[in-house]
Amino acid sequence: MMIVRILVLLAATAIGCSLLAWLLTGHPRCRVWAWKLTRGTLVAVIAVLVLFALERIFFSA
């Protein structure tokens, strides 16, 4: 669980830096990069939550 938290923190930092770079430079490539990171992070978080739910359903004692 600690690894998941660290990865989410790193993803949030990368998204924030990317948006900051877009605000400072105005280059749309930075905004696109932030959007791709956001989508990838959301997909990964949803996948982890589904795995936790499946673990809870199938392996509960």
Side-chain angles (χ1 to χ4, degrees):
M1 189 65 183
M2 188 62 143
I3 293 173
V4 173
R5 289 179 184 166
I6 291 171
L7 290 175
V8 168
L9 181 64
L10 288 174
T13 303
I15 292 166
C17 289
S18 184
L19 288 174
L20 181 65
W22 173 62
L23 286 173
L24 293 175
T25 63
H27 201 286
R29 181 180 63 194
C30 298
R31 187 185 58 190
V32 171
W33 180 253
W35 178 241
K36 287 180 182 180
L37 281 171
T38 304
R39 285 189 311 192
T41 302
L42 286 175
V43 167
V45 167
I46 290 170
V48 168
L49 291 175
V50 166
L51 287 174
F52 283 156
L54 290 173
E55 179 186 17
R56 183 84 168 169
I57 290 170
F58 291 120
F59 298 111
S60 63

